[in-house]
């Protein structure tokens, strides 16, 4: 039955994949493959055919072109050869006398110096001729020209139809030109003619150069390059050939060939899709459909390499590389076939390019047609096949399917008659037979099923009975297990007070052997066991048993505690059961009892602790706030005894009762109140501040509050004082901060743990620290890292860690040296670490960038000054040398002359030479003084500060001056005290000064004396030079110390340089001294110099 | 036998003055125009005294003196430095270079002759 039902649900539906479709698809694929293969094969075949055909026709075509295009060049060659032959023949027969006359008749001399054929000749023969003005009209030339003229008039008209012209040139530069349309040489200028000649000349073989014998016997025609003649507006190629007479070129015969048509033909094509290229052997393009303009622009000379066309270059390369006889070249890279041929004449190469794509295109057309036909055939075939398959196979098969599904539904009386005798007919018949057999078997099967169902029902009932019994048994077992797991000892008794059940806990509590607890054992026996276990004396045993039995019978409801073996305390309870039985339970409460005892002990201990606490402690009842307990300290604080305090209301002791509410609120919110400041009041009303701590507590098993407090009145007072002090400190700090913020020193304060305590404005500005950076705690390292991130440090990444460690190390060591620090932005900081008394540090930074810059400028200025000074010094040395060298010669020769080294001199000459010598020496003195002065001015003169003896100095000077004074009859006196301290200065220079002053004094004194007086006055050395000379006027006194000034009384032509006093004054000043003059005209002068003394030693006389 | 004197001097006039003076006084003279020539002459001519100008081309007088003092195997002759560098320190430099006399230009021929005679005694 079931199997049938499930089949029904499957239903008859059309198959997922149609057989017809499948078959058709397979056939279609196969036919498509065949068509595709045929298409490819035909494409290939046709393409190859076309290519071959194209190549063959190209070959033919190119050969035809060659023949056709070469014809004109061949003709030109043959023409000039004929001309040449005729010329050589004619010239041998020419009568020289006749030639002279003929020449005179044909040519005329023009005003410009040239000789030309007359205009009449041009009109008659169409020939023009030109002989340059520098050409010697020799007889031989005339003869050659006349013969040439005759031949040109003879051949020219005959060839006119195919060639533009015919001309003859001589090596001397004479030209004859047959060109009826162009009166070419009639009017043309010298340069036009020579232009043409030049064009036709070949520098390499020098055909047109006179007196150059042609080498060998090879008479070669020469083809010019292609060129565009703008005169006739056409492309031309010229061919020339020399005619040799006695091995030398007599004339050069030439013809210009119009190649316009040739190029036109070359560029246009006869074959579809192909194009032609004409190029010369040198690789110049002559004709190309795309480059004609470019060719013309380059005067017919366009190298292939200049086109920039790689395809063209490839073609050129291939044509060059090919074997000479091969006409067809294939270019794989450009996919082209190129037919190449060489034209005769100028030896141009004609290349016809056939792109292979053309063949491929034709082949593709054919292949496409085949493909189309194949596709059409495929469609038709599939249509026919489809209809056949449907009528012959699909319809009968569907009938068969329908019959099968009705059999599946249980309708076995199906008859399938397809009336066919093929395979499908046979299948239908076999199916009908099968259906009938299944029908018969189905009927027998349903009868047997009915009897089996009945038997089944009986079996099921029996089974359910058995299951119920088993469930009960299991429940019983579970109860037992449960009883065994609980810790209550349980004993179930039947109504007749016999054991029904005893659980594990009971057995363990009472240590009863299993055998005595068997079901049905009288309870009395068990109780007897209890009595023994509880250690009841034998004599009371019976009474115990009786009382116990009585209890059980009456089943007293309240539980009692009994002592079990092993000193365990059991709570025993007897419960009456509904069926008249009893349940006895035993609970072990030994542990409970023990815990209770422990609590009692703990409370006692707690109380003792409270009592011992070194601060006031109070316990109040939560419900009404009454004091349950107060320790001795509390009593002391409040001013009552402990006993008096107990039972009083805690709120009484609050100065402000709201405070208690506050504490309770804190307690309820946080579970405990900690350090709450509260004003409390003693029993006598005195108030005091207390710090209160409170928490919940259990006191003698009831909820209570525990308060602890401290008298902090004194603390409060101190706090107020502190607050005041703090306020004052803050004010000071504020002022200090204001100062710190305004000063230009960047200051960083560090804590003893090297955290930033404060960074003032200048610091933040110098280091460009961002706003608010110091709002967070920052360590010294944070600060440095930040500055580094800001790019302040001029330290490379590699060196950073070492640098930082060094800086931090320095700061920690607290060494207070002052250092300079250069930041990356060029700022220079003066940096100092100062250790603070609290272990912290103060770092100060002072921006000295400007100072440094100033310092640099100063240093530079100083260096420049020093350099200038050195230069000056060098200059002085050179001047000194340069001046002294010639002076040396003057003075030397003079002295030798005076000394008679060069023979004796007339007296007069001797006197003059003496003057020369005196003047020379004066000049030397002048030079020396000027140099000295310059040295002083340049700061070049260095003054030593050595101790010297004044006495020695003065005496030395006086000794040198003595002869001079004697000569003038003057007394020279020295006045020096015995013990004079040593002077300090440059002895040599001071000698110079004294020599000058003493010398001057003698010079300006004619009578009397000169006295040198030395002494000490006010710790200074004074040296006076006093004379009795002419004196100096007050006006002159102001001038004499200036350079180049002498007093108006100075002797003319004297020996003074006028620099002596100026130098002396400078030297004295450089010693830190002064020089003065005191003088009255006619009375004499006194020069006083004031100099420092040597402070170290005193001269010992 | 007359004494030989090497005159080292680059100015023709000054050389001539010395030559005329010394030849007249009976000395045998050799002349050198520059420091290098002076060194060579000192070795070949073997003078009894050298008058050495300091400002010389190629090799200056001090250098030349140093070479002469270093090269001569035998006792080097006395050398008188003749300098037109009358600046302070020149004389000291001359003594330091090992000169035996020092004369500043312009010199007096008499003075120079006296100095030479003094050194040759």
């Amino acid at each position: 039955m079931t199997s049938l039902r499930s089949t029904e649900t499957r239903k008859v539906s059309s198959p997922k994949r149609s057989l017809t479709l499948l078959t058709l698809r397979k056939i279609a694929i196969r036919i498509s493959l065949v068509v595709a293969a045929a298409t490819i094969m035909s494409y290939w075949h046709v393409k190859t055919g076309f290519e071959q055909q194209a190549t063959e026709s190209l070959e033919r075509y190119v050969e035809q072109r060659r023949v056709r295009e070469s014809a004109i060049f061949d003709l030109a060659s043959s023409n000039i050869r004929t001309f040449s032959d005729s010329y050589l023949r004619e010239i041998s027969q020419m009568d020289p006398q006749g030639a002279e006359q003929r020449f005179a008749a044909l040519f005329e001399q023009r005003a410009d110096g040239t000789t030309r054929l007359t205009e009449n000749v041009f009109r008659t023969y169409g020939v023009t001729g030109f002989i340059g003005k520098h050409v010697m009209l020799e007889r031989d030339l005339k003869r050659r020209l006349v013969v040439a003229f005759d031949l040109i008039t003879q051949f020219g008209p005959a060839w006119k139809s195919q060639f533009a012209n015919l001309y003859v040139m001589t090596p001397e530069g004479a030209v004859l030109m047959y060109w009826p349309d162009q009166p070419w040489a009639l009017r043309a200028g010298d340069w036009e003619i020579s232009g043409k000649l030049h064009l036709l000349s070949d520098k390499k073989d020098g055909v047109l150069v006179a007196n150059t014998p042609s080498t060998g016997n090879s008479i070669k025609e020469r083809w010019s390059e292609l060129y565009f003649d703008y005169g006739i507006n056409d492309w031309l190629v010229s061919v020339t050939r020399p005619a040799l007479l006695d091995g030398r070129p007599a004339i050069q015969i030439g013809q210009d060939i119009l190649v316009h048509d040739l190029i036109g033909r070359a560029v246009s094509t006869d074959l579809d899709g192909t194009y032609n290229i004409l190029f010369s052997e040198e690789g110049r393009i002559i004709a190309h459909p795309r480059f004609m303009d470019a060719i013309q622009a380059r005067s017919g000379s366009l190298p292939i390499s200049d086109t920039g066309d790689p395809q063209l270059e490839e073609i050129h390369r291939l044509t060059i590389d090919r074997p000479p006889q091969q006409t067809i070249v294939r270019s794989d890279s450009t996919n082209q076939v190129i037919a190449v041929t060489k034209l005769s004449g100028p030896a141009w190469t004609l290349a016809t390019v056939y792109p292979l794509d053309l063949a491929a295109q034709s082949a593709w057309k054919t292949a496409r047609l085949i493909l189309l036909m194949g596709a059409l055939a495929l469609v038709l075939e599939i249509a026919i096949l489809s209809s056949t398959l449907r009528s012959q196979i699909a319809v009968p098969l569907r009938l068969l399917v329908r019959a099968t599904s009705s059999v599946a539904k249980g309708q076995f009386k199906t008859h399938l008659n397809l009336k066919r005798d093929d395979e499908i007919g046979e299948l239908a018949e076999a199916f009908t037979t099968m259906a009938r057999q299944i029908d018969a078997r189905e009927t027998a099967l349903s009868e047997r099923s009915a009897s089996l169902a009945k038997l089944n029902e009986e079996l099921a009932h029996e089974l359910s009975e058995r299951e119920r019994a088993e469930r009960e048994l299991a429940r019983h077992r579970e109860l037992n297990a449960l009883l065994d797991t609980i810790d209550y000892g349980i004993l179930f008794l039947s109504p007749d007070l016999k054991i029904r059940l005893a659980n594990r806990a009971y057995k363990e509590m009472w240590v009863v052997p299993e055998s005595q607890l068997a079901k049905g054992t009288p309870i009395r026996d068990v109780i007897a066991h209890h009595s023994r276990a509880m250690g009841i004396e034998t004599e009371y045993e019976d009474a115990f048993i009786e009382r116990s039995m009585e209890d059980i019978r009456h089943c007293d409801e309240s539980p009692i505690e009994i002592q079990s073996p092993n000193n365990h305390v059991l709570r025993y309870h007897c419960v009456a059961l509904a069926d008249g039985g009893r349940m006895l339970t035993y609970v072990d409460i030994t542990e409970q009892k023990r815990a209770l005892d422990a609590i009692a002990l703990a409370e006692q201990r707690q109380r003792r602790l409270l009592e011992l606490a070194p601060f006031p402690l109070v316990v109040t009842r939560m419900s009404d706030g009454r004091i349950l307990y107060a320790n001795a300290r509390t009593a002391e604080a409040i001013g009552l005894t402990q006993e008096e305090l107990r039972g009083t209301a805690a709120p009484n002791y609050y100065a402000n009762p709201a405070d208690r509410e506050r504490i309770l609120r804190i307690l309820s919110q946080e579970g405990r109140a900690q350090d709450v400041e509260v004003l409390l009041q003693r029993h006598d009303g005195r108030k005091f501040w207390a710090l209160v701590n409170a928490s919940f507590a259990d006191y003698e098993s009831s909820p209570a509050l525990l308060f602890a407090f401290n008298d902090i009145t004194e603390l409060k007072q101190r706090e107020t004082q502190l607050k005041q002090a703090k306020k004052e400190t803050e004010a000071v700090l504020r002022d200090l901060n204001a100062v710190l913020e305004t000063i230009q020193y960047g200051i960083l304060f560090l804590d003893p743990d090297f955290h930033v305590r404060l960074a003032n404005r200048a610091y933040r500005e110098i280091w460009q620290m961002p706003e608010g950076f110091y709002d967070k705690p920052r360590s010294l390292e944070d600060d440095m890292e930040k500055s580094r991130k800001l790019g302040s440090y001029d330290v490379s990444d590699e060196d950073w860690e070492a640098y930082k460690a060094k800086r931090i190390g320095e700061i920690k060591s607290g060494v207070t040296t002052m250092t300079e620090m250069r930041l990356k932005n060029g700022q220079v900081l003066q940096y100092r670490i100062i250790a603070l008394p609290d272990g912290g540090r103060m770092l100060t930074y002072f921006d000295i960038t400007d100072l440094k810059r100033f310092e640099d400028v100063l240093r530079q200025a100083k260096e420049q000054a020093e350099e200038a000074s050195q230069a000056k010094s060098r200059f002085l040395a050179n001047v000194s040398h340069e001046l002294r060298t010639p002076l040396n010669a003057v003075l030397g020769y003079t002295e030798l002359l005076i000394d008679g080294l060069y023979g004796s001199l007339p007296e007069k000459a001797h006197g003059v030479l003496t003057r020369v010598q005196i003047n020379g020496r004066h000049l030397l003195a002048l030079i020396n003084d000027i140099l000295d002065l310059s040295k002083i001015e340049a700061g070049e003169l260095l003054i030593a500060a050595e101790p010297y003896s004044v006495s020695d100095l003065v005496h030395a000077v006086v000794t040198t001056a003595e002869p001079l004074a004697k000569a003038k009859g003057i007394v020279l006196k020295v006045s020096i005290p015995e013990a004079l301290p040593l002077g300090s200065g440059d002895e040599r220079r001071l000698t110079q000064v004294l020599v000058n002053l003493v010398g001057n004094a003698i010079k300006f004194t004619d009578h009397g004396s000169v006295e040198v007086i030395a002494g000490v006055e006010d710790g200074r050395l004074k040296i006076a030079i006093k004379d009795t000379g002419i004196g100096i006027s007050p006006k002159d006194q102001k001038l004499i110390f200036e350079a180049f000034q002498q007093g108006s009384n100075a002797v003319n032509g004297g020996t003074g340089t006028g620099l002596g006093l100026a130098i002396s004054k400078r030297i004295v000043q450089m010693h830190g001294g002064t020089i003065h003059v005191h003088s009255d005209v006619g009375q004499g002068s006194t020069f006083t110099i004031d100099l420092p003394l040597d402070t170290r030693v005193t001269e010992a006389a | 036998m007359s004494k030989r004197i090497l005159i080292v001097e680059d100015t023709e006039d000054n050389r001539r003055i010395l030559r005329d003076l010394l030849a007249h006084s009976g000395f045998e003279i050799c002349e050198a125009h520059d420091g290098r020539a002076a060194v060579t002459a000192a070795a070949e001519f073997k003078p009894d005294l050298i008058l050495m100008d300091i400002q010389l081309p190629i090799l200056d007088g001090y250098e030349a003196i140093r070479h002469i003092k270093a090269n001569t195997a035998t006792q080097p002759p006395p050398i008188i430095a003749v300098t037109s560098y009358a600046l302070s320190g020149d004389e000291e430099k001359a003594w330091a270079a090992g000169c035996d006399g020092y004369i500043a230009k312009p010199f007096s021929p008499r003075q120079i002759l006296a100095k030479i005679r003094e050194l040759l005694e």
Side-chain angles (χ1 to χ4, degrees), chain B residues 50-88:
Chain B
I50 300 173
L51 283 175
M52 178 72 75
D53 188 15
I54 295 304
Q55 180 74 357
L56 289 170
I58 305 180
L59 212 63
D60 77 11
Y62 298 129
E63 279 293 306
I65 290 168
R66 241 190 300 286
H67 278 85
I68 291 167
K69 295 259 170 192
N71 280 357
T72 319
T74 56
Q75 184 73 22
I79 299 174
I80 300 175
V82 183
T83 174
S84 55
Y85 272 121
L87 297 180
S88 60

Side-chain angles (χ1 to χ4, degrees), chain A residues 56-344:
Chain A
E56 280 164 13
S57 68
L58 260 183
E59 221 166 341
R60 270 199 311 279
Y61 168 79
V62 144
E63 179 55 23
Q64 281 167 10
R65 287 295 295 261
R66 187 186 68 75
V67 172
R68 182 172 161 192
E69 308 304 355
S70 295
I72 186 89
F73 299 124
D74 290 341
L75 190 57
S77 288
S78 130
N79 282 352
I80 57 173
R81 203 161 49 242
T82 311
F83 191 105
S84 172
D85 293 347
S86 304
Y87 180 82
L88 294 177
R89 209 167 43 242
E90 289 288 321
I91 198 146
S92 61
Q93 294 164 4
M94 189 67 199
D95 163 32
Q97 198 65 41
E100 196 82 28
Q101 285 167 11
R102 287 282 313 285
F103 184 84
L106 291 169
F107 288 87
E108 62 180 6
Q109 182 121 25
R110 288 279 181 90
D112 60 1
T114 60
T115 306
R116 306 195 190 212
L117 280 176
T118 61
E119 226 176 303
N120 201 24
V121 173
F122 174 66
R123 273 198 298 280
T124 316
Y125 301 104
V127 179
T128 55
F130 173 95
I131 306 168
K133 54 184 168 186
H134 301 301
V135 178
M136 298 282 284
L137 292 173
E138 288 172 344
R139 180 174 292 181
D140 180 57
L141 174 66
K142 288 176 183 170
R143 187 170 63 115
R144 276 184 279 143
L145 283 174
V146 169
V147 174
F149 175 79
D150 285 346
L151 285 173
I152 281 180
T153 51
Q154 187 185 330
F155 287 115
W159 297 338
K160 187 180 173 258
S161 59
Q162 278 149 306
F163 300 97
N165 53 18
L166 174 63
Y167 47 87
V168 167
M169 296 170 283
T170 71
E172 292 89 345
V175 185
L176 297 180
M177 168 76 78
Y178 172 79
W179 202 345
D181 304 331
Q182 298 272 325
W184 183 68
L186 212 55
R187 273 178 287 281
D190 227 343
W191 63 269
E192 265 178 88
I193 309 280
S194 44
K196 175 82 175 172
L197 296 183
H198 179 76
L199 189 69
L200 298 171
S201 77
D202 189 336
K203 284 173 205 143
K204 279 176 278 177
D205 58 16
V207 173
L208 281 173
V209 179
N211 304 324
T212 308
S214 149
T215 50
N217 52 4
S218 58
I219 301 170
K220 273 208 298 193
E221 61 194 36
R222 214 182 54 79
W223 291 86
S224 75
E225 297 268 347
L226 177 73
Y227 62 98
F228 193 82
D229 189 320
Y230 287 93
I232 57 164
N233 194 27
D234 207 343
W235 291 101
L236 291 179
V237 163
S238 303
V239 57
T240 53
R241 179 190 169 91
L244 298 185
L245 208 60
D246 306 328
R248 285 167 60 168
I251 52 167
Q252 188 89 8
I253 307 145
Q255 256 189 329
D256 289 348
I257 302 150
L258 293 171
V259 287
H260 174 84
D261 290 345
L262 170 77
I263 289 171
R265 275 196 304 276
V267 174
S268 73
T269 48
D270 302 337
L271 289 174
D272 278 347
T274 63
Y275 63 94
N276 296 328
I277 309 166
L278 208 52
F279 52 87
S280 69
E281 271 180 321
E282 292 84 24
R284 293 199 171 83
I285 315 180
I286 288 149
H288 188 290
R290 278 194 289 118
F291 292 112
M292 283 323 289
D293 288 342
I295 295 166
Q296 191 167 340
R298 300 282 288 267
S299 306
S301 174
L302 177 69
I304 286 173
S305 53
D306 285 8
T307 61
D309 186 339
Q311 203 170 335
L312 206 53
E313 282 173 32
E314 162 82 2
I315 289 168
H316 179 238
R317 192 182 54 73
L318 285 169
T319 56
I320 288 173
D321 294 348
R322 93 200 138 103
Q325 296 312 313
Q326 187 182 330
T327 46
I328 295 296
V329 187
R330 182 184 274 267
S331 162
D332 289 331
S333 65
T334 56
N335 199 26
Q336 286 170 332
V337 171
I338 303 141
V340 192
T341 186
K342 204 165 214 175
L343 304 185
S344 48

Side-chain angles (χ1 to χ4, degrees), chain A residues 320-544:
Chain A
I320 288 173
D321 294 348
R322 93 200 138 103
Q325 296 312 313
Q326 187 182 330
T327 46
I328 295 296
V329 187
R330 182 184 274 267
S331 162
D332 289 331
S333 65
T334 56
N335 199 26
Q336 286 170 332
V337 171
I338 303 141
V340 192
T341 186
K342 204 165 214 175
L343 304 185
S344 48
W348 292 346
T349 305
L350 175 72
T352 302
V353 181
Y354 174 80
L356 282 173
D357 292 346
L358 289 176
Q361 269 169 27
S362 306
W364 170 236
K365 269 183 205 158
T366 314
R368 212 163 45 191
L369 190 70
I370 291 169
L371 195 66
L372 196 71
M373 301 280 278
L376 212 66
L378 179 69
V379 170
L380 264 172
E381 205 150 324
I382 284 173
I384 294 164
L385 210 62
S386 156
S387 89
T388 315
L389 275 175
R390 187 167 298 146
S391 65
Q392 290 301 305
I393 296 172
V395 172
L397 271 180
R398 199 159 297 149
L399 283 173
L400 197 63
V401 168
R402 207 173 291 151
T404 313
S405 50
S406 62
V407 168
K409 280 176 195 157
Q411 292 166 7
F412 300 107
K413 300 289 188 282
T414 309
H415 184 66
L416 195 66
N417 188 7
L418 294 178
K419 287 179 186 141
R420 281 167 68 145
D421 47 9
D422 58 2
E423 286 90 339
I424 291 177
E426 271 176 37
L427 181 67
E429 218 157 287
F431 182 81
T432 314
T433 318
M434 181 191 76
R436 271 183 213 132
Q437 282 177 1
I438 290 172
D439 185 27
R441 231 175 267 175
E442 182 70 15
T443 318
L445 208 67
S446 57
E447 279 165 12
R448 247 178 82 200
S449 285
S451 66
L452 265 173
K454 201 173 160 203
L455 203 66
N456 216 13
E457 219 167 290
E458 284 166 13
L459 216 66
H461 180 71
E462 201 172 313
L463 258 173
S464 72
E465 279 295 300
R466 190 176 297 171
E467 271 172 20
R468 204 178 51 80
E470 267 172 17
R471 260 202 308 281
E472 209 131 303
L473 208 66
R475 209 170 295 145
H476 197 69
R477 265 201 305 276
E478 281 163 16
L479 191 68
N480 273 351
L482 185 71
L483 284 172
D484 282 348
T485 56
I486 59 174
D487 288 335
Y488 277 59
I490 300 173
L491 207 57
F492 286 99
L493 305 178
S494 54
D496 54 357
L497 301 184
K498 285 192 175 140
I499 297 284
R500 192 188 277 162
L501 185 81
N503 77 341
R504 179 195 52 83
Y506 171 83
K507 288 170 197 163
E508 282 173 10
M509 276 174 196
W510 291 102
V511 203
V512 186
E514 196 71 39
S515 58
Q516 288 190 6
L517 288 175
K519 205 172 171 184
T521 313
I523 188 63
R524 183 175 289 272
D525 296 357
V526 175
I527 288 171
H529 179 78
H530 284 186
S531 146
R532 280 191 297 280
M534 287 160 77
I536 290 169
E537 315 236 336
T538 324
E539 51 198 280
Y540 303 116
E541 191 177 318
D542 287 337
F544 175 77

